[in-house]
Amino acid sequence: MKQFVLIAVALVGLTAAQFPNGRTLDAPNPALCASRIIHERAPDGKGYFFSWRDPTHRVAEKDWLDARNFCRQRCMDSVSVETSPENEWIKQRIVEGRQKYIWTSGRLCDFKGCDRPDLQPTNINGWFWTAELQKLAPTTVRNQNDWSEGGGIGKPQPDNRELIQGGASENCLAILNNFYDDGVHWHDVACHHVKPWVCEENDALLKYVKYSNPNLRI
């Protein structure tokens, strides 16, 4: 089992100017936080929502930002697989749910402030879990991550395949279920693609809503 190394890192926030068409991250909605659906709790007690388990969203798919905003409105965020046990736990649910892929909160640092020396080159040192502002280990340290060794052009991930083939940059991190006959592993994917999603309870958002709404039971 791989052991992941994460580094706390101060990263600038994603603003409207840094998303296409002025899109932004949504603030939590107290009412939705209070009524959020938890399909399962991990051994550490943290709650998770799986889009395909919900009757309203069973066949729904969203792009990377819409998936995050769905979660954030509910005091959750797209899943960040920060440890090897959590990664394996999530992968097991993907396989059991017969899902081809899901979004995570993982993203390449591709906005203002990402020219810092410690993030260079960004394709190696610039990946992080946006929900937790935790930097991933360098992509070249293969025993500290779960990047696939294959992909659409037969190269180890992340490979930025779509950009190489004339499309968009692959700046978001998805988990693919044997999509390229390569097992269940991480892949870089262009953020505009739509996929099922997994929400994970976010302590910071829960604390914020509890502080702002002391009479609300969440």
Side-chain angles (χ1 to χ4, degrees), residues 126-142:
W127 286 93
F128 69 105
W129 300 118
T130 58
E132 303 294 338
L133 294 184
Q134 293 283 344
K135 185 179 175 183
L136 277 68
T139 59
T140 52
V141 184
R142 305 303 285 188

Side-chain angles (χ1 to χ4, degrees), residues 10-190:
L11 291 161
V12 296
L14 293 171
T15 66
Q18 291 152 355
F19 281 124
N21 303 318
R23 299 168 70 195
T24 62
L25 284 175
D26 286 354
N29 180 307
L32 291 177
C33 290
S35 61
R36 69 188 182 283
I37 296 171
I38 302 297
H39 290 126
E40 192 171 352
R41 291 194 178 275
D44 65 0
K46 187 169 288 187
Y48 292 79
F49 170 94
F50 301 91
S51 64
W52 59 91
R53 294 190 189 180
D54 187 85
T56 306
H57 303 94
R58 180 167 291 125
V59 297
E61 296 184 335
K62 297 181 180 293
D63 69 22
W64 183 85
L65 181 57
D66 281 345
R68 280 200 73 194
N69 279 338
F70 176 95
C71 299
R72 286 176 58 84
Q73 291 168 2
R74 293 158 176 80
C75 285
M76 308 177 86
D77 210 325
S78 293
V79 63
S80 301
V81 286
E82 301 163 274
T83 66
S84 180
E86 182 182 21
N87 187 54
E88 296 303 319
W89 190 83
I90 290 294
K91 285 164 58 172
Q92 182 180 6
R93 270 89 193 138
I94 295 170
V95 172
E96 291 173 349
R98 298 182 179 179
Q99 299 301 301
K100 294 185 294 184
Y101 34 56
I102 67 158
W103 280 128
T104 73
S105 80
R107 188 180 178 97
L108 184 69
C109 196
D110 62 343
F111 42 88
K112 184 178 180 181
C114 294
D115 56 352
R116 289 176 5 197
D118 62 304
L119 299 176
Q120 302 308 308
T122 54
N123 65 311
I124 294 175
N125 295 309
W127 286 93
F128 69 105
W129 300 118
T130 58
E132 303 294 338
L133 294 184
Q134 293 283 344
K135 185 179 175 183
L136 277 68
T139 59
T140 52
V141 184
R142 305 303 285 188
N143 66 343
Q144 293 180 4
N145 57 55
D146 198 20
W147 294 105
S148 175
E149 294 302 320
I153 54 177
K155 292 184 177 181
Q157 301 298 295
D159 62 358
N160 214 7
R161 174 189 62 83
E162 192 164 333
L163 181 67
I164 292 172
Q165 296 178 334
S169 296
E170 296 188 324
N171 292 343
C172 291
L173 196 160
I175 300 176
L176 273 57
N177 181 4
N178 206 34
F179 198 82
Y180 296 105
D181 296 320
D182 60 335
V184 188
H185 296 291
W186 302 353
H187 286 254
D188 59 329
V189 178

